[in-house]
Amino acid sequence: MTPAATPEPTPKPTPEPPAIEYTPITRGEPRPLPWSVALYYRVNHCDGCGAGFGDLRRVVFDEAAGEYGETRPAAFFDAIGIINSAAVSVDGQEVAVMVCHVQPCGGEYSEYIPGPEAEQRLWISRDAGRRWEDLGLVLPGSAIRDVVDGDVLVEQENYWSDRQRWIDLDDEAWEALLEGLAALGLDSREGWERRSLWVVSGEEAPPASEPESPALGGLDWVSVGKATEGLFLWAARQRDINLLAIATEQGAVQHVYGTAEWRWGPEPDGDPSWIPRFVTDDLLVRPSWTAPEPVQATAEIIDLEAAVVHEVAGLRLPREVEVYPQEEYYRFMAARPAPAIPFTALTLGEPRPLPPGTALYYYLALPCTLCEPLPYDLRRVVFDEVVGGLREDRPLSFFDGVIDFFDHSSLDYGTQKVTSFGASRSGRTLAVTLCHVGRCQVGSIEGVYPTPDWELRLWVSDDSGRTWEDRGLLLPETVILDVTDDDVLLRTWNFWRYADQKYTDDALEHMRGLLEPLGLDALEGQEHWLRWVVSGEEHTPVVPEATPVGLGGVDWRRLAPLPSGSVAWSAVAEGVYLLAIASAEGTVEKVFGSAEPLWEPSWAYRLSIGPVSLPSPYLPAVFESTRLEGGALLDLATLSIHPIEGLSTVMAGPTEGQAWQSVYVFLAARPAPD
């Protein structure tokens, strides 16, 4: 009898490791890019074609304007050389670029080795690209790996270890090349392929240590980048969930997040630009692509604190910065805190008298809830040295027997008597447009148009308002744009394109008969007609000044030109009131700032600062501010703002004999009349 076979033992199933607990990331509504985040891209006209680094771009969202702004932080080098490497510091304030001044320089984005005449220099900006400093020549082909506290970590590649790569050079040229490179740090051609060093300190960077993989769940964790200082990102897949672990260099896991929607890192041999980038401790930016050719790039913001991902609403790249004539390809580089705007802090000082020799001009006006204030008189304030205080006068008192400035019984927008004013830079010549009869302007309220009996006249004074000369009848909706000592620039808006809808046939025929001798035909086909009264020359509108370059992300509003030719701009950013002085091309000369609202940044008619000659050390401008006695001066020596003593009492008082409170609208600061 054959003995029964011993049954094979059934192997015990290997227990699955316990599921890893994670915080699920949910999808929220699309949102604009936070104002505090800047996205950096390198842009080229082809994708993966060895054409070099390309152009460096920075994209931020301007909350005040409600739109994205794109700048070129390295535009400074357009006429100098070609960028072949760049990096942005963790805080977003420092930018380093490697510039090839004499080509070819080789490098990680080039298909060429450096040429024997190659000249490559390292540059750094400590204010996010506004100003640049040359750190000197470096070995051609070097690439930037980091920028920290004014120093730049550079990786050098040894292109010169193999003499055969330079077979076109004879021995004499080869020795001359090595001699020149020795001065740039090529001390040896043997025993190294790549090495890194800090350029400013000269310290050689030790080889990067590999962080330990998280021992978590028995999963195959893949390194997908570095988080904040001392923390690293690891990705793995658990069933259908893609996990992201944040761990220390020793592998100690701080937190795990999960989503089924996307992978945290690249597939094997994939594109490393998919790796999410840290902006702050709890904010990640993940690039995404929304269309194939040409590539349109957007991004997603991952709020780790709330565990919510938001698509960046409205961001579609390419943007409208045309450097390359062909299609543009955006390759995501980094997400950083938006560069802060450095400024010189101002303080509030004690009130000071208006400097002798300065005159302030302003309208007295009635408040209007549906429109801008309604001017009814012109006032001027000067410092009277005899009485030791401010003195106010009325430059239009000449017309008191002709126009009743204080009859407000039918005043609305379009019926005000004083419709525009200007003063020459010397203060000698004044000009005003006065509506003698009817309504002379188009109102912002529906149904307010010039009346058929309008009478709008230009008056000019060449003695600071003592006497006035009638320069004749004007087309309705004509205002003064500028005044010189010898001429007046006028602008007329062509609202007559819509006149058929606003007047009866009889009224329109009557008005045209009066308007044609005044130049109505000059408006044909134009939005505006600009001309000088005395010379008769038509005026070409001046191209608006460029906003301050490199100070993006905020809504800069033009204040006024200064006597030097510079332009003053105002903005509010992160609760700080900013004043920028820039050239007409936008080159920033100085930025002042205050946590206190020392000037008015909001309403258009509050944005006036008048160019005027003031004694040193004042900035040659007078600021209007309802918070500061009506106006203020900036002392550049003490960096302090000083209210003009007594100005608010003079300017904001009620009009004599009237029951309502008038407001003032600041117009100009000019030299006082003799």
Side-chain angles (χ1 to χ4, degrees):
M1 185 175 179
T2 304
T6 303
E8 292 288 334
T10 303
K12 294 182 179 180
T14 303
E16 288 191 11
I20 298 172
E21 293 186 2
Y22 62 88
T23 300
I25 290 183
T26 59
R27 180 163 289 278
E29 293 296 319
R31 292 180 179 177
L33 187 71
W35 64 264
S36 59
V37 175
L39 304 181
Y40 289 85
Y41 297 83
R42 64 178 186 89
V43 183
N44 220 319
H45 62 273
C46 60
D47 190 27
C49 59
F53 175 89
D55 190 39
L56 179 64
R57 307 281 178 87
R58 177 171 57 220
V59 176
V60 297
F61 184 72
D62 185 337
E63 284 189 315
E67 61 184 23
Y68 291 94
E70 182 179 83
T71 57
R72 303 178 55 236
F76 174 81
F77 301 100
D78 284 352
I80 297 176
I82 295 176
I83 298 171
N84 53 19
S85 185
V88 185
S89 63
V90 171
D91 63 5
Q93 286 298 110
E94 295 181 312
V95 183
V97 295
M98 201 72 78
V99 180
C100 183
H101 290 244
V102 178
Q103 301 182 64
C105 292
E108 58 187 329
Y109 299 105
S110 175
E111 57 187 350
Y112 303 105
I113 65 172
E117 305 296 328
E119 180 182 313
Q120 182 168 282
R121 306 186 78 90
L122 176 63
W123 294 75
I124 187 171
S125 170
R126 294 174 173 83
D127 53 9
R130 288 181 278 275
R131 291 165 296 186
W132 291 91
E133 177 187 349
D134 184 1
L135 295 183
L137 288 167
V138 294
L139 279 178
S142 298
I144 299 170
R145 292 293 174 249
D146 204 357
V147 52
V148 178
D149 296 333
D151 207 347
V152 183
L153 180 62
V154 168
E155 183 180 74
Q156 300 173 336
E157 182 173 348
N158 190 355
Y159 291 97
W160 304 274
S161 59
D162 184 0
R163 174 70 172 89
Q164 293 303 309
R165 301 178 76 179
W166 304 86
I167 194 65
D168 292 339
L169 296 182
D170 59 32
D171 290 343
E172 183 178 353
W174 172 247
E175 292 300 326
L177 172 64
L178 295 182
E179 182 179 350
L181 295 175
L184 303 180
L186 187 64
D187 49 358
S188 171
R189 296 188 297 112
E190 309 297 333
W192 66 282
E193 183 177 346
R194 284 185 172 86
R195 64 187 181 189
S196 299
L197 71 138
W198 293 94
V199 171
V200 176
S201 67
E203 296 179 2
E204 190 166 334
S209 59
E210 292 294 329
E212 293 186 23
S213 171
L216 191 63
L219 301 179
D220 183 18
W221 291 92
V222 178
S223 175
V224 291
K226 190 175 181 180
T228 50
E229 191 66 32
L231 295 177
F232 296 84
L233 301 176
W234 297 85
R237 188 169 176 84
Q238 176 178 270
R239 302 184 181 93
D240 294 328
I241 301 299
N242 298 299
L243 301 176
L244 177 75
I246 300 176
T248 65
E249 189 174 2
Q250 292 73 35
V253 176
Q254 307 292 302
H255 207 109
V256 180
Y257 298 90
T259 177
E261 191 175 343
W262 69 81
R263 291 187 180 275
W264 290 101
E267 301 286 349
D269 301 321
D271 185 350
S273 66
W274 287 92
I275 295 175
R277 308 306 209 269
F278 260 89
V279 182
T280 62
D281 289 343
D282 54 8
L283 197 66
L284 278 169
V285 172
R286 174 183 177 269
S288 61
W289 312 107
T290 58
E293 304 291 342
V295 173
Q296 275 197 322
T298 183
E300 292 176 328
I301 297 291
I302 304 168
D303 185 339
L304 296 180
E305 186 176 18
V308 177
V309 60
H310 302 275
E311 181 184 351
V312 176
L315 176 66
R316 291 293 182 271
L317 302 169
R319 304 288 297 170
E320 296 177 359
V321 178
E322 297 182 359
V323 174
Y324 301 108
Q326 303 94 343
E327 296 170 343
E328 292 188 340
Y329 293 82
Y330 278 65
R331 307 300 292 175
F332 184 74
M333 277 183 57
R336 294 287 188 262
I341 297 175
F343 61 86
T344 300
L346 300 177
T347 58
L348 180 59
E350 74 286 350
R352 291 183 182 177
L354 182 68
T358 301
L360 304 181
Y361 291 86
Y362 61 95
Y363 287 139
L364 268 187
L366 294 182
C368 178
T369 55
L370 298 177
C371 58
E372 294 183 358
L374 305 172
Y376 62 83
D377 196 16
L378 177 70
R379 300 296 173 92
R380 175 171 55 204
V381 170
V382 297
F383 182 77
D384 190 329
E385 295 185 77
V386 176
V387 300
L390 296 178
R391 174 173 54 83
E392 180 189 62
D393 70 332
R394 297 180 53 238
L396 301 184
S397 61
F398 177 88
F399 301 97
D400 282 349
V402 180
I403 295 177
D404 187 354
F405 293 104
F406 303 99
D407 176 15
H408 307 317
S409 57
S410 61
L411 188 66
D412 63 25
Y413 191 76
T415 63
Q416 65 266 29
K417 305 302 181 183
V418 185
T419 61
S420 67
F421 167 78
S424 65
R425 293 293 179 264
S426 70
R428 188 194 79 190
T429 301
L430 308 181
V432 64
T433 52
L434 297 178
C435 188
H436 289 247
V437 179
R439 181 186 296 124
C440 301
Q441 289 182 288
V442 177
S444 57
I445 304 172
E446 182 63 29
V448 177
Y449 304 101
T451 54
D453 63 342
W454 104 100
E455 184 182 335
L456 180 66
R457 310 193 76 86
L458 171 66
W459 292 83
V460 177
S461 170
D462 61 4
D463 55 10
S464 302
R466 296 182 182 88
T467 60
W468 292 83
E469 178 187 350
D470 184 0
R471 296 293 180 88
L473 199 62
L474 299 175
L475 290 166
E477 197 58 37
T478 297
V479 296
I480 297 167
L481 281 191
D482 196 10
V483 178
T484 69
D485 282 344
D486 304 310
D487 213 340
V488 179
L489 178 62
L490 299 178
R491 181 188 67 191
T492 303
W493 176 48
N494 186 10
F495 78 95
W496 300 102
R497 294 175 298 175
Y498 319 108
D500 293 345
Q501 311 165 29
K502 312 304 179 186
Y503 301 98
T504 65
D505 291 343
D506 290 343
L508 189 57
E509 183 177 355
H510 167 74
M511 294 181 76
R512 284 192 181 277
L514 299 173
L515 295 167
E516 286 176 358
L518 302 178
L520 181 63
D521 292 344
L523 286 170
E524 187 69 31
Q526 296 191 74
E527 180 77 12
H528 295 98
W529 178 31
L530 284 75
R531 72 281 186 194
W532 291 95
V533 173
V534 176
S535 69
E537 295 179 359
E538 295 204 4
H539 180 74
T540 302
V542 177
V543 177
E545 297 94 348
T547 54
V549 174
L551 301 183
V554 296
D555 183 20
W556 287 102
R557 300 193 178 191
R558 183 184 183 276
L559 293 177
L562 299 175
S564 63
S566 300
V567 183
W569 300 80
S570 176
V572 180
E574 301 181 54
V576 177
Y577 290 76
L578 297 171
L579 172 72
I581 309 299
S583 69
E585 294 76 28
T587 302
V588 177
E589 299 166 6
K590 196 71 176 177
V591 181
F592 301 101
S594 169
E596 299 294 327
L598 302 183
W599 49 81
E600 303 284 352
S602 53
W603 294 355
Y605 64 85
R606 296 283 188 201
L607 287 177
S608 301
I609 65 173
V612 65
S613 297
L614 291 176
S616 179
Y618 291 120
L619 180 76
V622 176
F623 296 77
E624 182 198 18
S625 174
T626 54
R627 299 177 178 90
L628 300 177
E629 297 286 334
L633 307 170
L634 170 55
D635 187 326
L636 296 174
T638 60
L639 296 175
S640 52
I641 288 275
H642 298 271
I644 298 174
E645 193 170 39
L647 187 59
S648 62
T649 303
V650 173
M651 297 178 77
T655 305
E656 185 176 344
Q658 304 295 340
W660 51 77
Q661 183 80 16
S662 298
V663 297
Y664 69 88
V665 179
F666 186 84
L667 296 172
R670 295 290 187 266
D674 296 331

